[in-house]
Amino acid sequence: MKIAAVEVYRQDLPLVTPFQHFASGSVRALEEVYVRVTTDEGVTGVGEARGNSHYLTGDTPERVVAEILQHLGPRLVGREPRELHALLAELDQAVVGAHGSRSALDLALHDLVGHAYGVPVFALLGGAVRETLPSNQSIWYGPPDAAARQAAAYVADGFRFLKVRSGLRPFQRDVDRIRAVREAIGPDVSLAIDLNMAWTAREAVRHLRTLEPFDLAYVEQPVPHRDFAGLRHVTRHTDIPIMADESVQSLDDVLALARDRAVDLLHLKLIKLGGIAGLWRAAAVAESAGIELMVGQTNEGGLATAAAAHCALAVKARYLELYGAEGLVEDPATGFALRRGVATITERPGLGVTLDVSRLRPVGTVTREASR
């Protein structure tokens, strides 16, 4: 079996309600890049990566497309897809960074190999280590009463893990919102906050003392992503567990954070780590170091979210974040669902997702002839 073609597609997925956090600016649509890898035997695999994740990975849709068509796709054509890790290692070396493009191709190759062997991707990863996939949900910026109503609605819909997007100034605005949410959901629902790099280390230590009465499960990425010393300082000066997200951009970052015991938890995302294989390696390092995990994703469509769910089934993670495909006007991928706070995937081969490419805009194809 040989890879015959790598097709690249684009599609913007509008959101019913735009979102914003400290680092993102206003996001009104998910600017997705899709790939379909086809073999000479007709076996296919599909992948997806969000292009407008510049605040997280530095990617743009144009960059992701160009990297696949010009640099990465040509390296796959004519190759045996079941030599999966050898191919992925070669892609890792081909382009510096290239988070989104590598992730999209990694998902497509895992999907293809799952189809080739007739097994779901989580089985390729060693099988399920949990029976259900309870996801958290996020409460975006807004006044305290709106945050409280949204939190209560999520709890009524079955969610037991909530996260408040924070980092507003003055700080009292955050305090009021977090207090309102805790009062609305009661003491038995897990509550965390996500700063998305909003504070300095000194601010974080000072502010977290004020937030201790709200029984926070963790505080996600309080300081800028490259400030590992700041993360370590905050972790050592607060009793609230500290989670790294934007700071986890590579396996080297995981190793550094684990070596220095800079945080209590790591948030692993496909697009930051170059796909399923990268997330799997990062999870193994974290488990060896005794650092707990969240398996999650940036907001993406159902295809990429299903891939994160396969990882979540096969990785020992304390927390899951699998709501990324919620709130889309429409999604060209089917097969993933989030109901009553719990994610579900099919056990069909590969990622178990059907992608309707007729609803996507083709932007280029790499074949053997085109690669010459």
Side-chain angles (χ1 to χ4, degrees):
M1 182 187 296
K2 304 294 182 183
I3 295 173
V6 178
E7 302 166 88
V8 183
Y9 302 85
R10 277 276 292 114
Q11 189 63 39
D12 291 349
L13 307 181
L15 293 159
V16 175
T17 304
F19 69 81
Q20 179 176 352
H21 57 63
F22 182 80
S24 70
S26 180
V27 177
R28 308 187 67 84
L30 309 182
E31 299 174 11
E32 302 300 286
V33 178
Y34 293 91
V35 295
R36 181 169 64 178
V37 179
T38 304
T39 71
D40 55 3
E41 296 181 12
V43 184
T44 64
V46 291
E48 172 191 12
R50 183 168 146 219
N52 58 333
S53 56
H54 53 280
Y55 57 91
L56 184 63
T57 64
D59 282 319
T60 65
E62 295 77 17
R63 177 178 176 177
V64 174
V65 167
E67 287 167 348
I68 295 172
L69 292 178
Q70 297 174 20
H71 303 293
L72 301 180
R75 292 175 179 266
L76 295 178
V77 174
R79 305 290 294 276
E80 164 59 74
R82 289 169 294 193
E83 297 173 355
L84 179 60
H85 287 281
L87 287 180
L88 293 174
E90 186 171 325
L91 295 186
D92 287 349
Q93 297 299 316
V95 181
V96 175
H99 298 273
S101 54
R102 289 190 295 117
S103 184
L105 289 170
D106 171 284
L107 267 57
L109 289 171
H110 276 86
D111 187 41
L112 192 159
V113 173
H115 281 286
Y117 288 123
V119 298
V121 164
F122 72 82
L124 292 177
L125 300 177
V129 297
R130 62 193 308 148
E131 294 182 357
T132 61
L133 296 169
S135 175
N136 72 357
Q137 254 296 3
S138 282
I139 298 157
W140 302 95
Y141 289 158
D145 56 345
R149 286 194 302 272
Q150 183 64 78
Y154 283 145
V155 172
D157 195 34
F159 289 94
R160 305 299 296 172
F161 303 88
L162 299 183
K163 183 167 70 175
V164 179
R165 299 285 179 174
S166 303
L168 297 173
R169 297 183 186 275
F171 170 58
Q172 187 61 41
R173 295 172 65 193
D174 277 340
V175 176
D176 294 342
R177 294 169 65 243
I178 295 164
R179 177 185 292 110
V181 169
R182 176 53 84 191
E183 291 175 351
I185 64 177
D188 297 329
V189 175
S190 174
L191 181 63
I193 63 171
D194 190 351
L195 277 305
N196 294 113
M197 309 182 287
W199 294 341
T200 67
R202 288 189 176 186
E203 284 177 324
V205 172
R206 184 171 67 251
H207 292 339
L208 292 181
R209 293 193 183 108
T210 302
L211 298 178
E212 286 178 357
F214 301 123
D215 188 25
L216 298 179
Y218 59 86
V219 173
E220 189 169 349
Q221 197 65 46
V223 302
H225 71 293
R226 291 291 89 188
D227 188 5
F228 284 17
L231 278 173
R232 184 172 61 250
H233 178 79
V234 177
T235 299
R236 293 179 179 179
H237 289 85
T238 180
D239 291 332
I240 304 173
I242 302 300
M243 177 186 290
D245 177 6
E246 285 89 346
S247 292
V248 185
Q249 296 282 340
S250 68
L251 187 59
D252 287 343
D253 291 336
V254 174
L255 288 166
L257 292 166
R259 181 191 62 235
D260 295 341
R261 306 302 299 182
V263 291
D264 302 293
L265 305 106
L266 299 173
H267 190 167
L268 305 183
K269 296 179 179 178
L270 294 169
I271 197 167
K272 294 187 302 177
L273 294 163
I276 293 168
L279 189 149
W280 182 257
R281 289 193 295 269
V285 171
E287 183 177 351
S288 298
I291 297 178
E292 293 190 297
L293 299 176
M294 171 182 279
V295 170
Q297 23 121 221
T298 187
N299 291 79
E300 292 179 280
L303 172 53
T305 307
H310 278 268
C311 292
L313 268 180
V315 167
K316 295 178 181 178
R318 182 170 182 178
Y319 301 106
L320 306 179
E321 186 163 290
L322 301 171
Y323 64 79
E326 294 295 287
L328 297 175
V329 174
E330 59 180 358
D331 193 330
T334 56
F336 172 85
L338 180 61
R339 299 187 182 93
R340 301 292 300 166
V342 177
T344 60
I345 56 177
T346 73
E347 294 198 16
R348 300 199 307 266
L351 295 172
V353 172
T354 299
L355 179 65
D356 185 356
V357 296
S358 70
R359 295 164 60 185
L360 309 178
R361 176 169 58 87
V363 293
T365 301
V366 180
T367 62
R368 182 179 293 276
E369 290 73 20
S371 300
R372 289 174 177 168

